[in-house]
Amino acid sequence: MTTEIIESFSELGLSENTLKGLTEMGFTKPSPIQAQGIPAVMGGSDVIGQAQTGTGKTAAFGIPVLERIDISNNAVQALVLCPTRELAVQVSEELGRLAKFHRGVRIEAIYGGDSIERQIRSLKKGVHIVVGTPGRVMDHMERRTLKFDEVRMMVLDEADEMLDMGFREDIESILADMPEDRQTILFSATMSKPIMSITKRFLNDPVLIKVVRNELTNQNIEQVCYEVKPQAKLEVMTRLIDMYHLKSLLVFCNTKRKVDEIVEELQLRGYASEGIHGDLRQQQRSNVMSKFKAGVTTILVATDVAARGIDVSGLDGVINFDIPLDEEYYVHRIGRTGRAGMSGKAFSLVARDEKFRLRQIENYTKVKIEKGVIPSYEDIVGVRKARFVESITATIEAGETDLYQDVLEMLQHSGYAIEQIVGAMAKQIMGVQKNEYADSNMSWEEKRGDRGDRRESSDRFDRRRGGSRFDRSEGRGDRFERRSEGGRSGDSRKGGAPEAGMTRLFLSLGRKDHILPKDIVGAIAGESNIPGKTIGAIDIYDKFTFVDVPERDAKAVMRAMDGNTIKGKPVQIDIAKV
Ligand code: ADP
Ligand code: MG
């Protein structure tokens, strides 16, 4: 497309009314997708526009749509399809603002969950631009309450998300029902195969405009990656949240299931967190979003497509719980933070087998992602204490504590010292979580169960980080001394593969947690309902344990035990990598 730089909207040949609206909205300069998209759409050809979230795609199609409405004609002249009710409302509101000085233009948002009778009444009055979700638009088409004979422009907004939500068939039937000579415009943050196939079928010789990547380098985003074992990712994430005091955070992962899992884990640990993905119903989505925007929820966990088009600003950071499968996704994800001159943090938790994807991202973005040091448990407690002291001081300064001043006296009657009393209160209020992972057992630089390498890499690990924070006893050979009970011993299997038909599981508790084989047998048998005698060899190390269980029960045991406790201690469980 054009390479000239367009500095103002007035260079785009727009009407006075539009320019006035833009000034009032505070838009001074077209964004790249607008600078290229507006002339293309105004020119009348079909257009495919690709640009990341938050780059102003709405106005890129909204302005030309407005310019082409004939007010004297009462028929629907433009249809904009959006994936969700929330986006339909957002888009219709933005169009309304752009149309402020276009007297008489009527815009209606049509979406599920809203009274269809009300929608029918306002459609009857005559609407020029319909912004709707595919399901509800189909509904109106079938009832003949929406007629598209005079539609001249058809827009598919956030096409990738619409397809992800399963609207493909609806979209295709709607497109098939539109007048042949209409103009079709498709905007999307990513271009997938299904989108390309829709464009091939329904778009006529489209102009392709692609604006990606360019915003990354000049944005104020601190990008850091942490090399973390998969099962320690959650622990590391919460440490980062605590350490950097992230109060408005978007966490990305690759699957819907993972979203649910992470949300549950975070909630269990006391973080105000909710998830958003394509399987949620409209009502649930709106709920989740309004709580996040209001700050009631501080952590939003999302899949890539679900986060698309959500207009949230003021994020402290973005965490990539999984490394995205597509380099462009990375750009979209981290672009959600550090907007509008504010600084933002983008942390990526990288498992060993994700390392190569991170390299691909570095190649693609031409940015070297710095390697971070996982905050130690002491760091976290220190930070929490400092914040606690701050908040107490602030409360005292705010006054009105008189009513509570006899509490200390009451507590002292219990016979404890002031230090103990305050310590207990601090612990309760700060809610410092249990240290579920030994500092030295979170990074995959160490090879678990691999003696020689382990000690060596453990030393390397220490040196790189200045040493003192890490528990050096971990490197000693004595932790391979095993305890055994009854029939479950046998040096023959030491370090070897589990017996046929057995699966070896890794448990995050060990001798340091005063765990004995009988505790493990008891917990597993009790929680997952498998007979204790079917449990095989148990090897207890300092900070973790290997347990062999029958292959067919491994999943059930993991489900029953993961996040559960043994002797009051939370345990993470995973298939051991042997
Ligand atoms: P997208 O659809 O690409 O995700 P939106 O159209 O929702 O992006 O725009 C994101 C935000 O940027 C909105 O709040 C919008 O009002 C604002 N915006 C769009 N274009 C401009 C512009 N040229 N100048 C300033 N702000 C803009
Ligand atoms: Mg949009």
PDB file of all heavy atoms in Angstrom, residues 486-500:
ATOM      1  N   GLY A 486       8.759 -51.883  53.958  1.00  0.00           N
ATOM      2  CA  GLY A 486       8.219 -53.129  53.445  1.00  0.00           C
ATOM      3  C   GLY A 486       8.879 -53.505  52.137  1.00  0.00           C
ATOM      4  O   GLY A 486      10.084 -53.450  51.986  1.00  0.00           O
ATOM      5  N   GLY A 487       8.048 -53.880  51.212  1.00  0.00           N
ATOM      6  CA  GLY A 487       8.568 -54.361  49.946  1.00  0.00           C
ATOM      7  C   GLY A 487       9.043 -53.276  49.009  1.00  0.00           C
ATOM      8  O   GLY A 487       9.591 -53.567  47.963  1.00  0.00           O
ATOM      9  N   ARG A 488       8.755 -52.021  49.329  1.00  0.00           N
ATOM     10  CA  ARG A 488       9.139 -51.022  48.343  1.00  0.00           C
ATOM     11  C   ARG A 488      10.537 -50.496  48.614  1.00  0.00           C
ATOM     12  O   ARG A 488      10.724 -49.459  49.201  1.00  0.00           O
ATOM     13  CB  ARG A 488       8.142 -49.872  48.295  1.00  0.00           C
ATOM     14  CG  ARG A 488       7.386 -49.588  49.504  1.00  0.00           C
ATOM     15  CD  ARG A 488       6.377 -48.516  49.202  1.00  0.00           C
ATOM     16  NE  ARG A 488       5.068 -49.045  48.923  1.00  0.00           N
ATOM     17  CZ  ARG A 488       4.184 -49.347  49.858  1.00  0.00           C
ATOM     18  NH1 ARG A 488       4.502 -49.200  51.113  1.00  0.00           N
ATOM     19  NH2 ARG A 488       3.019 -49.803  49.539  1.00  0.00           N
ATOM     20  N   SER A 489      11.509 -51.283  48.209  1.00  0.00           N
ATOM     21  CA  SER A 489      12.874 -50.773  48.221  1.00  0.00           C
ATOM     22  C   SER A 489      13.541 -51.347  46.989  1.00  0.00           C
ATOM     23  O   SER A 489      12.943 -51.376  45.944  1.00  0.00           O
ATOM     24  CB  SER A 489      13.584 -51.192  49.506  1.00  0.00           C
ATOM     25  OG  SER A 489      13.830 -52.573  49.474  1.00  0.00           O
ATOM     26  N   GLY A 490      14.711 -51.802  47.136  1.00  0.00           N
ATOM     27  CA  GLY A 490      15.314 -52.451  45.984  1.00  0.00           C
ATOM     28  C   GLY A 490      16.209 -51.514  45.231  1.00  0.00           C
ATOM     29  O   GLY A 490      15.751 -50.696  44.456  1.00  0.00           O
ATOM     30  N   ASP A 491      17.514 -51.650  45.498  1.00  0.00           N
ATOM     31  CA  ASP A 491      18.457 -50.778  44.831  1.00  0.00           C
ATOM     32  C   ASP A 491      18.437 -50.957  43.330  1.00  0.00           C
ATOM     33  O   ASP A 491      18.846 -50.090  42.599  1.00  0.00           O
ATOM     34  CB  ASP A 491      19.870 -51.063  45.354  1.00  0.00           C
ATOM     35  CG  ASP A 491      20.149 -50.229  46.590  1.00  0.00           C
ATOM     36  OD1 ASP A 491      19.166 -49.668  47.147  1.00  0.00           O
ATOM     37  OD2 ASP A 491      21.297 -50.116  46.974  1.00  0.00           O
ATOM     38  N   SER A 492      17.922 -52.093  42.903  1.00  0.00           N
ATOM     39  CA  SER A 492      17.957 -52.381  41.475  1.00  0.00           C
ATOM     40  C   SER A 492      17.293 -51.278  40.659  1.00  0.00           C
ATOM     41  O   SER A 492      17.674 -51.004  39.553  1.00  0.00           O
ATOM     42  CB  SER A 492      17.237 -53.691  41.205  1.00  0.00           C
ATOM     43  OG  SER A 492      15.910 -53.593  41.701  1.00  0.00           O
ATOM     44  N   ARG A 493      16.303 -50.653  41.257  1.00  0.00           N
ATOM     45  CA  ARG A 493      15.586 -49.677  40.458  1.00  0.00           C
ATOM     46  C   ARG A 493      16.099 -48.252  40.660  1.00  0.00           C
ATOM     47  O   ARG A 493      15.603 -47.315  40.087  1.00  0.00           O
ATOM     48  CB  ARG A 493      14.095 -49.709  40.784  1.00  0.00           C
ATOM     49  CG  ARG A 493      13.792 -49.368  42.221  1.00  0.00           C
ATOM     50  CD  ARG A 493      12.298 -49.248  42.381  1.00  0.00           C
ATOM     51  NE  ARG A 493      11.818 -48.094  41.649  1.00  0.00           N
ATOM     52  CZ  ARG A 493      11.861 -46.864  42.132  1.00  0.00           C
ATOM     53  NH1 ARG A 493      12.390 -46.630  43.303  1.00  0.00           N
ATOM     54  NH2 ARG A 493      11.387 -45.860  41.430  1.00  0.00           N
ATOM     55  N   LYS A 494      17.079 -48.104  41.501  1.00  0.00           N
ATOM     56  CA  LYS A 494      17.560 -46.771  41.829  1.00  0.00           C
ATOM     57  C   LYS A 494      17.886 -45.989  40.552  1.00  0.00           C
ATOM     58  O   LYS A 494      18.761 -46.361  39.789  1.00  0.00           O
ATOM     59  CB  LYS A 494      18.803 -46.893  42.677  1.00  0.00           C
ATOM     60  CG  LYS A 494      19.243 -45.596  43.295  1.00  0.00           C
ATOM     61  CD  LYS A 494      20.373 -45.877  44.269  1.00  0.00           C
ATOM     62  CE  LYS A 494      20.830 -44.617  44.960  1.00  0.00           C
ATOM     63  NZ  LYS A 494      21.860 -44.899  45.941  1.00  0.00           N
ATOM     64  N   GLY A 495      17.188 -44.931  40.367  1.00  0.00           N
ATOM     65  CA  GLY A 495      17.453 -44.072  39.212  1.00  0.00           C
ATOM     66  C   GLY A 495      17.004 -44.678  37.903  1.00  0.00           C
ATOM     67  O   GLY A 495      17.023 -44.038  36.882  1.00  0.00           O
ATOM     68  N   GLY A 496      16.579 -45.933  37.913  1.00  0.00           N
ATOM     69  CA  GLY A 496      16.194 -46.561  36.656  1.00  0.00           C
ATOM     70  C   GLY A 496      14.747 -46.271  36.314  1.00  0.00           C
ATOM     71  O   GLY A 496      14.078 -45.496  36.983  1.00  0.00           O
ATOM     72  N   ALA A 497      14.270 -46.928  35.266  1.00  0.00           N
ATOM     73  CA  ALA A 497      12.893 -46.702  34.856  1.00  0.00           C
ATOM     74  C   ALA A 497      11.970 -47.467  35.787  1.00  0.00           C
ATOM     75  O   ALA A 497      12.375 -48.435  36.417  1.00  0.00           O
ATOM     76  CB  ALA A 497      12.719 -47.183  33.429  1.00  0.00           C
ATOM     77  N   PRO A 498      10.715 -47.035  35.911  1.00  0.00           N
ATOM     78  CA  PRO A 498       9.779 -47.784  36.741  1.00  0.00           C
ATOM     79  C   PRO A 498       9.498 -49.150  36.126  1.00  0.00           C
ATOM     80  O   PRO A 498       9.711 -49.359  34.939  1.00  0.00           O
ATOM     81  CB  PRO A 498       8.526 -46.911  36.743  1.00  0.00           C
ATOM     82  CG  PRO A 498       8.658 -45.998  35.573  1.00  0.00           C
ATOM     83  CD  PRO A 498      10.118 -45.850  35.316  1.00  0.00           C
ATOM     84  N   GLU A 499       9.000 -50.065  36.950  1.00  0.00           N
ATOM     85  CA  GLU A 499       8.619 -51.387  36.473  1.00  0.00           C
ATOM     86  C   GLU A 499       7.576 -51.272  35.370  1.00  0.00           C
ATOM     87  O   GLU A 499       6.838 -50.294  35.329  1.00  0.00           O
ATOM     88  CB  GLU A 499       7.939 -52.146  37.616  1.00  0.00           C
ATOM     89  CG  GLU A 499       8.828 -53.058  38.409  1.00  0.00           C
ATOM     90  CD  GLU A 499       8.038 -53.610  39.586  1.00  0.00           C
ATOM     91  OE1 GLU A 499       7.040 -54.311  39.357  1.00  0.00           O
ATOM     92  OE2 GLU A 499       8.417 -53.285  40.732  1.00  0.00           O
ATOM     93  N   ALA A 500       7.491 -52.325  34.570  1.00  0.00           N
ATOM     94  CA  ALA A 500       6.484 -52.308  33.512  1.00  0.00           C
ATOM     95  C   ALA A 500       5.099 -52.145  34.130  1.00  0.00           C
ATOM     96  O   ALA A 500       4.819 -52.711  35.181  1.00  0.00           O
ATOM     97  CB  ALA A 500       6.562 -53.602  32.714  1.00  0.00           C
TER      98      ALA A 500
END
